[in-house]
Amino acid sequence: FTQDDAHIYCTPDQLESEIQGVITFMLGIYRDFGLEDVRIMLSTRPEKYIGEKSLWDKLEKTLAGSLEKLGHKYETDEGAGAFYGPKLDFQVKDSLGRFWQLGTIQADMNLPERFDIHYIGEDGAKHRPIMLHRALMGSIERFLGAYLEITAGILPFWVAPLQVVAATITGEANDYAEKVVDALKMAGISAQADTRNEKIGYKIREHSLAKIPLMVVLGKKEAAENKVTLRRLGSEAQETMDLRQALDCLKKQAALPGIRYQH
């Protein structure tokens, strides 16, 4: 499996602010995906562990304090920490009510000791850093599996692999449909044309079942006026606008979320 693992080395004085930064960054990413209901678990010292108990107590207190200062609720999972340090686990619930762990933050003062890692402090002497193991999504495969369960395959516009289908009402709009698709692709939007000789109702149903976020319905009138009619997944309403106006609107919707939660 693929894991978005990373390690942060920091001084003891930086530990709490670094943990808070990762928590904020992680929950911000989940919000971008529409995951608001996230359960946070504080996993404490297991039966078999390395390091001093007093060190574990300190790290557990720092993890809990970081959450409390940010105003986040959490539950304690006694004895579920890694052998080298306590951790915070971030879990989401799927359509069957099962919780799946996504991201994790693990505080570790033991492995830097074993690896003999050090930095030079302001006093010119060697000091031992603290290591934070950080995975934002965790297993990418598990994240996608849980995410598809939660969304039932109805993905946000910016996530969907195929964002727009341009479906024609009549064969007279086929050439215009290809023009619209080319313009969408030039704007960075994933699109394809459906110019099959099928009724528009059939096309709409087929692409709705495939969870395509947006359909562009094109007839003789749209082709003549350089316009498009937009039909969004889950809505019966349709909106007609100029092609250029539609491109500007869809480009904004397709853009990746900004890095709003700087760490």
Side-chain angles (χ1 to χ4, degrees):
F1 68 98
T2 306
Q3 185 169 332
D4 61 342
D5 196 17
H7 298 92
I8 297 170
Y9 297 93
C10 62
T11 69
D13 290 341
Q14 296 169 333
L15 179 60
E16 187 171 81
S17 65
E18 287 294 323
I19 292 172
Q20 290 178 355
V22 175
I23 292 170
T24 303
F25 185 29
M26 189 181 297
L27 293 178
I29 290 173
Y30 296 164
R31 280 195 294 272
D32 285 338
F33 278 94
L35 301 175
E36 298 283 353
D37 186 12
V38 180
R39 183 172 74 172
I40 304 175
M41 305 295 293
L42 170 60
S43 299
T44 59
R45 186 178 66 254
E47 183 176 339
K48 295 183 179 180
Y49 63 92
I50 60 174
E52 299 296 326
K53 180 179 180 297
S54 59
L55 188 57
W56 276 81
D57 292 341
K58 181 179 179 180
L59 293 178
E60 289 172 9
K61 184 177 180 181
T62 302
L63 287 171
S66 297
L67 288 169
E68 291 164 2
K69 288 182 179 179
L70 291 172
H72 297 305
K73 296 180 180 180
Y74 65 92
E75 300 176 31
T76 302
D77 193 359
E78 297 289 350
F83 72 92
Y84 50 77
K87 60 177 181 170
L88 298 178
D89 292 328
F90 295 77
Q91 304 174 349
V92 295
K93 187 164 56 176
D94 69 11
S95 58
L96 298 179
R98 301 170 298 183
F99 280 96
W100 295 89
Q101 180 187 323
L102 301 183
T104 184
I105 304 170
Q106 301 171 0
D108 183 0
M109 292 182 70
N110 292 302
L111 291 184
E113 182 77 29
R114 290 195 165 196
F115 295 151
D116 192 25
I117 299 172
H118 64 266
Y119 65 94
I120 306 300
E122 293 181 359
D123 57 1
K126 291 183 178 180
H127 297 272
R128 193 74 67 194
I130 301 174
M131 178 192 295
L132 287 177
H133 304 256
R134 182 224 73 184
L136 300 173
M137 293 181 177
S139 162
I140 303 301
E141 293 84 355
R142 181 170 54 198
F143 179 91
L144 290 174
Y147 189 59
L148 290 173
E149 283 269 1
I150 293 166
T151 61
I154 302 175
L155 303 177
F157 191 76
W158 67 274
V159 175
L162 178 58
Q163 295 164 311
V164 179
V165 169
T168 53
I169 299 174
T170 171
E172 295 177 89
N174 286 356
D175 290 343
Y176 182 57
E178 297 296 345
K179 174 186 172 182
V180 169
V181 167
D182 288 343
L184 287 165
K185 290 180 177 179
M186 287 292 292
I189 299 165
S190 174
Q192 67 181 34
D194 184 350
T195 57
R196 294 173 298 166
N197 186 25
E198 299 284 356
K199 293 182 178 179
I200 190 61
Y202 177 87
K203 295 180 182 180
I204 289 173
R205 173 173 170 76
E206 184 177 86
H207 296 301
S208 295
L209 290 173
K211 306 296 194 298
I212 306 302
L214 180 69
M215 287 193 64
V216 175
V217 180
L218 304 172
K220 185 176 180 179
K221 183 178 180 180
E222 282 85 0
E225 298 178 359
N226 205 41
K227 292 185 176 182
V228 294
T229 297
L230 307 182
R231 184 187 180 98
R232 300 186 184 278
L233 182 63
S235 174
E236 296 292 329
Q238 297 189 153
E239 181 181 9
T240 301
M241 63 179 69
D242 291 333
L243 175 58
R244 176 50 54 191
Q245 181 185 359
L247 290 172
D248 291 340
C249 177
L250 295 179
K251 278 176 67 175
K252 294 177 182 177
Q253 295 177 32
L256 297 179
I259 305 177
R260 299 182 294 237
Y261 312 98
Q262 293 287 348
H263 170 48

